[in-house]
Amino acid sequence: MKALVYHSPGRKGLQDMPRPVLKEATDAVVRITKTTICGTDLHILKGDVPTVSEGRILGHEGIGIIEEAGTGVTRFHQGDRVLISCITACGKCEYCRRGMCSHCEQGGWILGNTIDGTQAEYVRIPWADTSLHHIPENADEEAMVMLSDILPTGYECGVLNGCVKPGDIVAIIGAGPVGLAALLTARFYSPADIIMIDRDDHRLDVAKKLGATKLINNSDGKALAKIMAMTFGRGVDVAIEAVGVPATFEICQAIIAPGGHIANVGVHGESVPLHLETLWSQNITITTRLVDAVTTPLLLKTVMSGRLLPKQLVTHHFPLSEVISAYDTFGNAARERALKVILTNE
């Protein structure tokens, strides 16, 4: 089968790989129909995720059709259309029972990390009963791909960890796909303002269309002054970091109001200063989280009801055979005006 394979930082290739087979009775093999590229994949290619070894097939998002199911799989059968969760959950260990599936003792974020992932024609899914979701008959497939990772990530790591509530002033730093997913789901809670901060005017325009009430282009480095002017010197109640670099986390620390929440979503590949010398007395809550994907059923129902429209995040389409071009497009998002890229296995 064809698959996108990681070789070393900065090196990847589309190549022939062995088709996966069942290893455990609880496994399923899924024929991928649509997948996508995540910002985390770019972090992997930069060398920020040392758990990814040479020869690994990348990708942790997608939808497909069950090709084969192990004898221990009871919820899914050959031919079923399924949504693949970015988090593999055994459903039995202490962490899974606490709803922290990202720390599953036999799973977690393993697809495209410690086992082969979804940017391929086929993928093996361990613990299929608790790591897959049925796709409703009339569901839009591209919207379903957005439920693999970015929507639960933006919602759980940003909105829920940030404790967004009615009347809050929320700032989201980073108008990429995950930041926009946080924007879409923050609207569930009727905040007074959602301020989107980025350096790309196109992404800010998209954020406005999706419901951001105020926009800040931080190309001039004056986001702090602009936020303070907008909030009459008070700062914001919730700051969601959705980039994963020191500068954006610094902005979060500078703009947060007393009693506020800083919710980190971004994947950080280097140390970030923590300014306790100014934050220690401010009653600030700082949260980190790897998505658990426990809200996927809730979000799926919201998409099917038409209240949540994640297909708006899709900007480009490629066949899986052109995955290298798709990476070039996604990796040059500002130039290409790219958000989410759909890869179709034809």
Side-chain angles (χ1 to χ4, degrees), residues 195 216 222-236 251 253-257:
I195 305 168
I216 294 177
K222 296 181 179 179
L224 171 59
K226 293 174 183 178
I227 285 280
M228 289 305 172
M230 289 177 179
T231 60
F232 305 100
R234 179 178 175 274
V236 303
I251 292 172
Q253 295 179 75
I255 65 176
I256 197 70

Side-chain angles (χ1 to χ4, degrees), residues 5-8 44 49-58 112-116:
V5 179
Y6 169 81
H7 293 297
S8 62
I44 291 170
V49 187
T51 50
V52 181
S53 59
E54 180 181 350
R56 178 68 61 228
I57 297 172
L58 296 184
N113 180 8
T114 58
I115 69 170
D116 287 335

Side-chain angles (χ1 to χ4, degrees), residues 38-49:
C38 179
T40 303
D41 297 321
L42 300 184
H43 280 282
I44 291 170
L45 288 167
K46 291 177 183 176
D48 291 345
V49 187

